[in-house]
Amino acid sequence: MLAKLALVGYDRVAAVADGRVGVEGVEFEVSLLAPSEIFFRMLAEDAFDISEMSLSSTLIHKLRGRDWTVLPVFPFRSLFHTGFLVRDEINEPADLRGGRIGLVEYQVTAALWGRGVLADEFDVDPRDVTWYVERSGALSHSGAGGFLPPEGVRVEPIPDDSSLAALLVAGELDAVLPSPMPGIANRFNRTDERTLLASPGIKRLFPDPLAEARRYYAKHGFLHINHLVVVKNALVG
């Protein structure tokens, strides 16, 4: 049986991608793509038989009856709140109450975890923030899946000719959570963490991300799941 398999090109999936590890009776047609590309194509058209997939999008679409079987395989995990970049005048998470925070997209998993940690650990309620998103409707996971923000949450698109990086540097945003995978070229994201962090007046919300990650892990005992694997039910059957 031939199965279309979409993965991000990590070292940890290399043995599957190059054929050293396989599944008896299955021949994989492997596509190594940016995660945003994989997720968009799965949400819009079920383009692959087996796919790495966003946790948040999977939860949304399984609740809506999407014809997927979810495998407890997690190619990418991290502590995403440690990735917030802020202007110099922001000194602690509490300073973001009532502020303006930029996300690549509201529904993506990194943003979900980031908002959750701000709320649960630092009392920054999502309804007390105005959220600005970079991806346009035509290229957004929200657009592909019909996502709407929760009641009481303000989500605004930024101009098509701007970026989260430009707005943060200009002082029009207080904080930004860029894509957690800088350096992977794709057609969806306009902001690269590495370039933004080198800009004057920009710093990390957590000056020592590893120390904050250790604190969080010691308290809660787990890493945030970002991606898992979904299989079309027709293939499973």
Side-chain angles (χ1 to χ4, degrees), residues 160-195:
D160 288 342
D161 60 354
S162 188
S163 68
L164 298 179
L167 295 177
L168 186 65
V169 170
E172 297 179 43
L173 294 176
D174 302 299
V176 160
L177 185 61
S179 168
M181 294 184 165
I184 297 181
N186 65 84
R187 59 185 171 132
F188 296 88
N189 301 333
R190 305 175 220 161
T191 293
D192 188 292
E193 173 191 292
R194 300 167 303 174
T195 303

PDB file of all heavy atoms in Angstrom, residues 160-195:
ATOM      1  N   ASP A 160      -1.495  43.576   5.728  1.00  0.00           N
ATOM      2  CA  ASP A 160      -0.816  42.588   4.887  1.00  0.00           C
ATOM      3  C   ASP A 160       0.609  42.996   4.542  1.00  0.00           C
ATOM      4  O   ASP A 160       1.447  42.136   4.262  1.00  0.00           O
ATOM      5  CB  ASP A 160      -1.602  42.360   3.583  1.00  0.00           C
ATOM      6  CG  ASP A 160      -2.897  41.591   3.819  1.00  0.00           C
ATOM      7  OD1 ASP A 160      -3.017  40.946   4.877  1.00  0.00           O
ATOM      8  OD2 ASP A 160      -3.776  41.644   2.939  1.00  0.00           O
ATOM      9  N   ASP A 161       0.879  44.307   4.540  1.00  0.00           N
ATOM     10  CA  ASP A 161       2.211  44.770   4.165  1.00  0.00           C
ATOM     11  C   ASP A 161       3.106  45.026   5.378  1.00  0.00           C
ATOM     12  O   ASP A 161       4.172  45.641   5.261  1.00  0.00           O
ATOM     13  CB  ASP A 161       2.128  46.046   3.316  1.00  0.00           C
ATOM     14  CG  ASP A 161       1.432  47.195   4.045  1.00  0.00           C
ATOM     15  OD1 ASP A 161       0.914  46.968   5.161  1.00  0.00           O
ATOM     16  OD2 ASP A 161       1.411  48.315   3.490  1.00  0.00           O
ATOM     17  N   SER A 162       2.692  44.545   6.556  1.00  0.00           N
ATOM     18  CA  SER A 162       3.492  44.713   7.759  1.00  0.00           C
ATOM     19  C   SER A 162       3.849  43.345   8.327  1.00  0.00           C
ATOM     20  O   SER A 162       3.608  42.304   7.718  1.00  0.00           O
ATOM     21  CB  SER A 162       2.732  45.550   8.789  1.00  0.00           C
ATOM     22  OG  SER A 162       3.561  45.881   9.884  1.00  0.00           O
ATOM     23  N   SER A 163       4.444  43.334   9.520  1.00  0.00           N
ATOM     24  CA  SER A 163       4.816  42.085  10.192  1.00  0.00           C
ATOM     25  C   SER A 163       4.801  42.317  11.693  1.00  0.00           C
ATOM     26  O   SER A 163       4.839  43.464  12.172  1.00  0.00           O
ATOM     27  CB  SER A 163       6.214  41.629   9.758  1.00  0.00           C
ATOM     28  OG  SER A 163       7.200  42.534  10.238  1.00  0.00           O
ATOM     29  N   LEU A 164       4.750  41.227  12.443  1.00  0.00           N
ATOM     30  CA  LEU A 164       4.846  41.338  13.897  1.00  0.00           C
ATOM     31  C   LEU A 164       6.145  42.018  14.298  1.00  0.00           C
ATOM     32  O   LEU A 164       6.170  42.853  15.213  1.00  0.00           O
ATOM     33  CB  LEU A 164       4.774  39.949  14.531  1.00  0.00           C
ATOM     34  CG  LEU A 164       3.509  39.136  14.323  1.00  0.00           C
ATOM     35  CD1 LEU A 164       3.640  37.773  15.005  1.00  0.00           C
ATOM     36  CD2 LEU A 164       2.281  39.878  14.850  1.00  0.00           C
ATOM     37  N   ALA A 165       7.228  41.680  13.614  1.00  0.00           N
ATOM     38  CA  ALA A 165       8.533  42.265  13.939  1.00  0.00           C
ATOM     39  C   ALA A 165       8.507  43.776  13.770  1.00  0.00           C
ATOM     40  O   ALA A 165       8.954  44.531  14.651  1.00  0.00           O
ATOM     41  CB  ALA A 165       9.609  41.642  13.061  1.00  0.00           C
ATOM     42  N   ALA A 166       7.981  44.244  12.641  1.00  0.00           N
ATOM     43  CA  ALA A 166       7.958  45.676  12.366  1.00  0.00           C
ATOM     44  C   ALA A 166       7.109  46.417  13.396  1.00  0.00           C
ATOM     45  O   ALA A 166       7.480  47.508  13.868  1.00  0.00           O
ATOM     46  CB  ALA A 166       7.431  45.928  10.958  1.00  0.00           C
ATOM     47  N   LEU A 167       5.971  45.844  13.771  1.00  0.00           N
ATOM     48  CA  LEU A 167       5.083  46.504  14.723  1.00  0.00           C
ATOM     49  C   LEU A 167       5.683  46.520  16.125  1.00  0.00           C
ATOM     50  O   LEU A 167       5.507  47.493  16.871  1.00  0.00           O
ATOM     51  CB  LEU A 167       3.726  45.813  14.734  1.00  0.00           C
ATOM     52  CG  LEU A 167       2.922  45.913  13.427  1.00  0.00           C
ATOM     53  CD1 LEU A 167       1.617  45.131  13.542  1.00  0.00           C
ATOM     54  CD2 LEU A 167       2.648  47.360  13.059  1.00  0.00           C
ATOM     55  N   LEU A 168       6.390  45.471  16.509  1.00  0.00           N
ATOM     56  CA  LEU A 168       7.038  45.456  17.823  1.00  0.00           C
ATOM     57  C   LEU A 168       8.151  46.498  17.885  1.00  0.00           C
ATOM     58  O   LEU A 168       8.246  47.269  18.851  1.00  0.00           O
ATOM     59  CB  LEU A 168       7.591  44.058  18.133  1.00  0.00           C
ATOM     60  CG  LEU A 168       8.176  43.875  19.535  1.00  0.00           C
ATOM     61  CD1 LEU A 168       7.095  44.034  20.603  1.00  0.00           C
ATOM     62  CD2 LEU A 168       8.855  42.512  19.681  1.00  0.00           C
ATOM     63  N   VAL A 169       8.975  46.543  16.873  1.00  0.00           N
ATOM     64  CA  VAL A 169      10.073  47.515  16.839  1.00  0.00           C
ATOM     65  C   VAL A 169       9.528  48.945  16.843  1.00  0.00           C
ATOM     66  O   VAL A 169      10.098  49.845  17.481  1.00  0.00           O
ATOM     67  CB  VAL A 169      10.969  47.264  15.610  1.00  0.00           C
ATOM     68  CG1 VAL A 169      11.964  48.402  15.423  1.00  0.00           C
ATOM     69  CG2 VAL A 169      11.704  45.930  15.756  1.00  0.00           C
ATOM     70  N   ALA A 170       8.392  49.153  16.167  1.00  0.00           N
ATOM     71  CA  ALA A 170       7.803  50.487  16.084  1.00  0.00           C
ATOM     72  C   ALA A 170       7.047  50.891  17.354  1.00  0.00           C
ATOM     73  O   ALA A 170       6.578  52.023  17.460  1.00  0.00           O
ATOM     74  CB  ALA A 170       6.858  50.556  14.889  1.00  0.00           C
ATOM     75  N   GLY A 171       6.899  49.966  18.301  1.00  0.00           N
ATOM     76  CA  GLY A 171       6.186  50.276  19.532  1.00  0.00           C
ATOM     77  C   GLY A 171       4.688  50.122  19.427  1.00  0.00           C
ATOM     78  O   GLY A 171       3.957  50.505  20.340  1.00  0.00           O
ATOM     79  N   GLU A 172       4.200  49.526  18.335  1.00  0.00           N
ATOM     80  CA  GLU A 172       2.760  49.323  18.164  1.00  0.00           C
ATOM     81  C   GLU A 172       2.288  48.015  18.792  1.00  0.00           C
ATOM     82  O   GLU A 172       1.084  47.753  18.885  1.00  0.00           O
ATOM     83  CB  GLU A 172       2.394  49.373  16.688  1.00  0.00           C
ATOM     84  CG  GLU A 172       2.676  50.737  16.060  1.00  0.00           C
ATOM     85  CD  GLU A 172       2.335  50.781  14.589  1.00  0.00           C
ATOM     86  OE1 GLU A 172       1.262  50.259  14.209  1.00  0.00           O
ATOM     87  OE2 GLU A 172       3.134  51.329  13.812  1.00  0.00           O
ATOM     88  N   LEU A 173       3.226  47.175  19.194  1.00  0.00           N
ATOM     89  CA  LEU A 173       2.944  45.982  19.986  1.00  0.00           C
ATOM     90  C   LEU A 173       3.864  46.002  21.205  1.00  0.00           C
ATOM     91  O   LEU A 173       4.952  46.591  21.174  1.00  0.00           O
ATOM     92  CB  LEU A 173       3.192  44.707  19.171  1.00  0.00           C
ATOM     93  CG  LEU A 173       2.281  44.443  17.976  1.00  0.00           C
ATOM     94  CD1 LEU A 173       2.739  43.184  17.235  1.00  0.00           C
ATOM     95  CD2 LEU A 173       0.823  44.302  18.401  1.00  0.00           C
ATOM     96  N   ASP A 174       3.418  45.336  22.267  1.00  0.00           N
ATOM     97  CA  ASP A 174       4.229  45.246  23.481  1.00  0.00           C
ATOM     98  C   ASP A 174       5.026  43.957  23.541  1.00  0.00           C
ATOM     99  O   ASP A 174       6.077  43.895  24.186  1.00  0.00           O
ATOM    100  CB  ASP A 174       3.323  45.333  24.712  1.00  0.00           C
ATOM    101  CG  ASP A 174       2.513  46.607  24.733  1.00  0.00           C
ATOM    102  OD1 ASP A 174       3.120  47.687  24.760  1.00  0.00           O
ATOM    103  OD2 ASP A 174       1.265  46.517  24.700  1.00  0.00           O
ATOM    104  N   ALA A 175       4.514  42.913  22.876  1.00  0.00           N
ATOM    105  CA  ALA A 175       5.159  41.602  22.913  1.00  0.00           C
ATOM    106  C   ALA A 175       4.774  40.825  21.671  1.00  0.00           C
ATOM    107  O   ALA A 175       3.737  41.097  21.054  1.00  0.00           O
ATOM    108  CB  ALA A 175       4.749  40.823  24.162  1.00  0.00           C
ATOM    109  N   VAL A 176       5.592  39.858  21.342  1.00  0.00           N
ATOM    110  CA  VAL A 176       5.351  38.994  20.186  1.00  0.00           C
ATOM    111  C   VAL A 176       5.784  37.584  20.557  1.00  0.00           C
ATOM    112  O   VAL A 176       6.808  37.396  21.228  1.00  0.00           O
ATOM    113  CB  VAL A 176       6.145  39.489  18.953  1.00  0.00           C
ATOM    114  CG1 VAL A 176       6.312  38.394  17.920  1.00  0.00           C
ATOM    115  CG2 VAL A 176       5.467  40.698  18.326  1.00  0.00           C
ATOM    116  N   LEU A 177       5.000  36.596  20.132  1.00  0.00           N
ATOM    117  CA  LEU A 177       5.426  35.197  20.217  1.00  0.00           C
ATOM    118  C   LEU A 177       5.622  34.710  18.785  1.00  0.00           C
ATOM    119  O   LEU A 177       4.663  34.345  18.105  1.00  0.00           O
ATOM    120  CB  LEU A 177       4.392  34.340  20.936  1.00  0.00           C
ATOM    121  CG  LEU A 177       4.791  32.877  21.178  1.00  0.00           C
ATOM    122  CD1 LEU A 177       6.041  32.795  22.044  1.00  0.00           C
ATOM    123  CD2 LEU A 177       3.645  32.096  21.825  1.00  0.00           C
ATOM    124  N   PRO A 178       6.877  34.735  18.286  1.00  0.00           N
ATOM    125  CA  PRO A 178       7.099  34.328  16.888  1.00  0.00           C
ATOM    126  C   PRO A 178       6.921  32.828  16.713  1.00  0.00           C
ATOM    127  O   PRO A 178       6.707  32.079  17.671  1.00  0.00           O
ATOM    128  CB  PRO A 178       8.570  34.729  16.650  1.00  0.00           C
ATOM    129  CG  PRO A 178       8.989  35.532  17.837  1.00  0.00           C
ATOM    130  CD  PRO A 178       8.099  35.121  18.958  1.00  0.00           C
ATOM    131  N   SER A 179       7.030  32.388  15.472  1.00  0.00           N
ATOM    132  CA  SER A 179       7.022  30.954  15.198  1.00  0.00           C
ATOM    133  C   SER A 179       8.121  30.289  15.998  1.00  0.00           C
ATOM    134  O   SER A 179       9.247  30.797  16.061  1.00  0.00           O
ATOM    135  CB  SER A 179       7.242  30.695  13.705  1.00  0.00           C
ATOM    136  OG  SER A 179       7.513  29.330  13.475  1.00  0.00           O
ATOM    137  N   PRO A 180       7.823  29.139  16.638  1.00  0.00           N
ATOM    138  CA  PRO A 180       8.859  28.468  17.427  1.00  0.00           C
ATOM    139  C   PRO A 180       9.884  27.733  16.578  1.00  0.00           C
ATOM    140  O   PRO A 180      10.748  27.059  17.114  1.00  0.00           O
ATOM    141  CB  PRO A 180       8.056  27.480  18.277  1.00  0.00           C
ATOM    142  CG  PRO A 180       6.843  27.190  17.464  1.00  0.00           C
ATOM    143  CD  PRO A 180       6.526  28.459  16.737  1.00  0.00           C
ATOM    144  N   MET A 181       9.816  27.862  15.262  1.00  0.00           N
ATOM    145  CA  MET A 181      10.753  27.176  14.365  1.00  0.00           C
ATOM    146  C   MET A 181      11.426  28.178  13.433  1.00  0.00           C
ATOM    147  O   MET A 181      11.172  28.195  12.235  1.00  0.00           O
ATOM    148  CB  MET A 181      10.036  26.098  13.563  1.00  0.00           C
ATOM    149  CG  MET A 181       9.539  24.970  14.417  1.00  0.00           C
ATOM    150  SD  MET A 181       8.797  23.678  13.422  1.00  0.00           S
ATOM    151  CE  MET A 181       8.759  22.360  14.618  1.00  0.00           C
ATOM    152  N   PRO A 182      12.261  29.066  13.971  1.00  0.00           N
ATOM    153  CA  PRO A 182      12.917  30.051  13.112  1.00  0.00           C
ATOM    154  C   PRO A 182      13.831  29.368  12.106  1.00  0.00           C
ATOM    155  O   PRO A 182      14.421  28.326  12.374  1.00  0.00           O
ATOM    156  CB  PRO A 182      13.720  30.900  14.097  1.00  0.00           C
ATOM    157  CG  PRO A 182      13.955  30.009  15.272  1.00  0.00           C
ATOM    158  CD  PRO A 182      12.721  29.150  15.365  1.00  0.00           C
ATOM    159  N   GLY A 183      13.902  29.953  10.933  1.00  0.00           N
ATOM    160  CA  GLY A 183      14.826  29.437   9.925  1.00  0.00           C
ATOM    161  C   GLY A 183      14.220  28.450   8.961  1.00  0.00           C
ATOM    162  O   GLY A 183      14.852  28.098   7.966  1.00  0.00           O
ATOM    163  N   ILE A 184      12.989  27.967   9.210  1.00  0.00           N
ATOM    164  CA  ILE A 184      12.321  27.083   8.264  1.00  0.00           C
ATOM    165  C   ILE A 184      11.509  27.949   7.310  1.00  0.00           C
ATOM    166  O   ILE A 184      10.501  28.553   7.703  1.00  0.00           O
ATOM    167  CB  ILE A 184      11.420  26.060   8.975  1.00  0.00           C
ATOM    168  CG1 ILE A 184      12.252  25.145   9.877  1.00  0.00           C
ATOM    169  CG2 ILE A 184      10.662  25.225   7.950  1.00  0.00           C
ATOM    170  CD1 ILE A 184      11.433  24.081  10.589  1.00  0.00           C
ATOM    171  N   ALA A 185      11.952  28.047   6.084  1.00  0.00           N
ATOM    172  CA  ALA A 185      11.285  28.923   5.114  1.00  0.00           C
ATOM    173  C   ALA A 185       9.869  28.433   4.831  1.00  0.00           C
ATOM    174  O   ALA A 185       9.636  27.243   4.688  1.00  0.00           O
ATOM    175  CB  ALA A 185      12.100  28.978   3.824  1.00  0.00           C
ATOM    176  N   ASN A 186       8.929  29.357   4.761  1.00  0.00           N
ATOM    177  CA  ASN A 186       7.556  29.010   4.430  1.00  0.00           C
ATOM    178  C   ASN A 186       6.831  30.250   3.946  1.00  0.00           C
ATOM    179  O   ASN A 186       7.317  31.370   4.084  1.00  0.00           O
ATOM    180  CB  ASN A 186       6.851  28.381   5.634  1.00  0.00           C
ATOM    181  CG  ASN A 186       6.695  29.350   6.783  1.00  0.00           C
ATOM    182  OD1 ASN A 186       5.753  30.133   6.811  1.00  0.00           O
ATOM    183  ND2 ASN A 186       7.631  29.340   7.740  1.00  0.00           N
ATOM    184  N   ARG A 187       5.648  30.059   3.412  1.00  0.00           N
ATOM    185  CA  ARG A 187       4.881  31.166   2.842  1.00  0.00           C
ATOM    186  C   ARG A 187       3.902  31.778   3.835  1.00  0.00           C
ATOM    187  O   ARG A 187       3.122  32.663   3.474  1.00  0.00           O
ATOM    188  CB  ARG A 187       4.114  30.671   1.603  1.00  0.00           C
ATOM    189  CG  ARG A 187       3.141  29.533   1.877  1.00  0.00           C
ATOM    190  CD  ARG A 187       2.498  29.007   0.603  1.00  0.00           C
ATOM    191  NE  ARG A 187       1.727  27.795   0.836  1.00  0.00           N
ATOM    192  CZ  ARG A 187       0.487  27.599   0.381  1.00  0.00           C
ATOM    193  NH1 ARG A 187      -0.115  28.537  -0.323  1.00  0.00           N
ATOM    194  NH2 ARG A 187      -0.124  26.451   0.617  1.00  0.00           N
ATOM    195  N   PHE A 188       3.923  31.349   5.084  1.00  0.00           N
ATOM    196  CA  PHE A 188       2.919  31.761   6.049  1.00  0.00           C
ATOM    197  C   PHE A 188       3.402  32.813   7.043  1.00  0.00           C
ATOM    198  O   PHE A 188       2.623  33.642   7.479  1.00  0.00           O
ATOM    199  CB  PHE A 188       2.414  30.536   6.828  1.00  0.00           C
ATOM    200  CG  PHE A 188       1.713  29.534   5.958  1.00  0.00           C
ATOM    201  CD1 PHE A 188       2.423  28.539   5.315  1.00  0.00           C
ATOM    202  CD2 PHE A 188       0.344  29.595   5.780  1.00  0.00           C
ATOM    203  CE1 PHE A 188       1.779  27.615   4.503  1.00  0.00           C
ATOM    204  CE2 PHE A 188      -0.316  28.679   4.972  1.00  0.00           C
ATOM    205  CZ  PHE A 188       0.404  27.690   4.331  1.00  0.00           C
ATOM    206  N   ASN A 189       4.660  32.754   7.462  1.00  0.00           N
ATOM    207  CA  ASN A 189       5.152  33.629   8.516  1.00  0.00           C
ATOM    208  C   ASN A 189       6.037  34.736   7.949  1.00  0.00           C
ATOM    209  O   ASN A 189       6.876  34.489   7.088  1.00  0.00           O
ATOM    210  CB  ASN A 189       5.957  32.819   9.544  1.00  0.00           C
ATOM    211  CG  ASN A 189       5.133  31.718  10.188  1.00  0.00           C
ATOM    212  OD1 ASN A 189       3.906  31.823  10.276  1.00  0.00           O
ATOM    213  ND2 ASN A 189       5.789  30.670  10.630  1.00  0.00           N
ATOM    214  N   ARG A 190       5.855  35.945   8.462  1.00  0.00           N
ATOM    215  CA  ARG A 190       6.654  37.089   8.018  1.00  0.00           C
ATOM    216  C   ARG A 190       7.716  37.498   9.022  1.00  0.00           C
ATOM    217  O   ARG A 190       8.531  38.377   8.736  1.00  0.00           O
ATOM    218  CB  ARG A 190       5.732  38.290   7.777  1.00  0.00           C
ATOM    219  CG  ARG A 190       4.588  38.039   6.816  1.00  0.00           C
ATOM    220  CD  ARG A 190       3.660  39.257   6.751  1.00  0.00           C
ATOM    221  NE  ARG A 190       2.270  38.830   6.700  1.00  0.00           N
ATOM    222  CZ  ARG A 190       1.239  39.600   7.003  1.00  0.00           C
ATOM    223  NH1 ARG A 190       1.436  40.860   7.374  1.00  0.00           N
ATOM    224  NH2 ARG A 190       0.009  39.130   6.932  1.00  0.00           N
ATOM    225  N   THR A 191       7.704  36.907  10.203  1.00  0.00           N
ATOM    226  CA  THR A 191       8.607  37.315  11.276  1.00  0.00           C
ATOM    227  C   THR A 191       9.527  36.172  11.655  1.00  0.00           C
ATOM    228  O   THR A 191       9.079  35.048  11.867  1.00  0.00           O
ATOM    229  CB  THR A 191       7.794  37.763  12.514  1.00  0.00           C
ATOM    230  OG1 THR A 191       7.085  38.962  12.193  1.00  0.00           O
ATOM    231  CG2 THR A 191       8.714  38.034  13.705  1.00  0.00           C
ATOM    232  N   ASP A 192      10.822  36.471  11.745  1.00  0.00           N
ATOM    233  CA  ASP A 192      11.817  35.490  12.165  1.00  0.00           C
ATOM    234  C   ASP A 192      12.387  35.920  13.514  1.00  0.00           C
ATOM    235  O   ASP A 192      12.869  37.044  13.668  1.00  0.00           O
ATOM    236  CB  ASP A 192      12.935  35.374  11.131  1.00  0.00           C
ATOM    237  CG  ASP A 192      13.884  34.226  11.425  1.00  0.00           C
ATOM    238  OD1 ASP A 192      14.613  34.295  12.432  1.00  0.00           O
ATOM    239  OD2 ASP A 192      13.894  33.253  10.643  1.00  0.00           O
ATOM    240  N   GLU A 193      12.319  35.021  14.477  1.00  0.00           N
ATOM    241  CA  GLU A 193      12.763  35.323  15.838  1.00  0.00           C
ATOM    242  C   GLU A 193      14.200  35.829  15.876  1.00  0.00           C
ATOM    243  O   GLU A 193      14.526  36.775  16.596  1.00  0.00           O
ATOM    244  CB  GLU A 193      12.632  34.078  16.708  1.00  0.00           C
ATOM    245  CG  GLU A 193      13.216  34.223  18.102  1.00  0.00           C
ATOM    246  CD  GLU A 193      13.296  32.893  18.822  1.00  0.00           C
ATOM    247  OE1 GLU A 193      12.220  32.352  19.150  1.00  0.00           O
ATOM    248  OE2 GLU A 193      14.414  32.404  19.035  1.00  0.00           O
ATOM    249  N   ARG A 194      15.078  35.220  15.097  1.00  0.00           N
ATOM    250  CA  ARG A 194      16.498  35.558  15.168  1.00  0.00           C
ATOM    251  C   ARG A 194      16.746  36.995  14.740  1.00  0.00           C
ATOM    252  O   ARG A 194      17.506  37.732  15.376  1.00  0.00           O
ATOM    253  CB  ARG A 194      17.312  34.602  14.304  1.00  0.00           C
ATOM    254  CG  ARG A 194      17.190  33.142  14.727  1.00  0.00           C
ATOM    255  CD  ARG A 194      17.741  32.214  13.668  1.00  0.00           C
ATOM    256  NE  ARG A 194      17.078  32.414  12.384  1.00  0.00           N
ATOM    257  CZ  ARG A 194      17.441  31.811  11.265  1.00  0.00           C
ATOM    258  NH1 ARG A 194      18.464  30.973  11.276  1.00  0.00           N
ATOM    259  NH2 ARG A 194      16.786  32.026  10.141  1.00  0.00           N
ATOM    260  N   THR A 195      16.091  37.419  13.659  1.00  0.00           N
ATOM    261  CA  THR A 195      16.246  38.789  13.188  1.00  0.00           C
ATOM    262  C   THR A 195      15.635  39.778  14.176  1.00  0.00           C
ATOM    263  O   THR A 195      16.226  40.820  14.491  1.00  0.00           O
ATOM    264  CB  THR A 195      15.576  38.952  11.813  1.00  0.00           C
ATOM    265  OG1 THR A 195      16.151  38.014  10.911  1.00  0.00           O
ATOM    266  CG2 THR A 195      15.764  40.357  11.278  1.00  0.00           C
TER     267      THR A 195
END
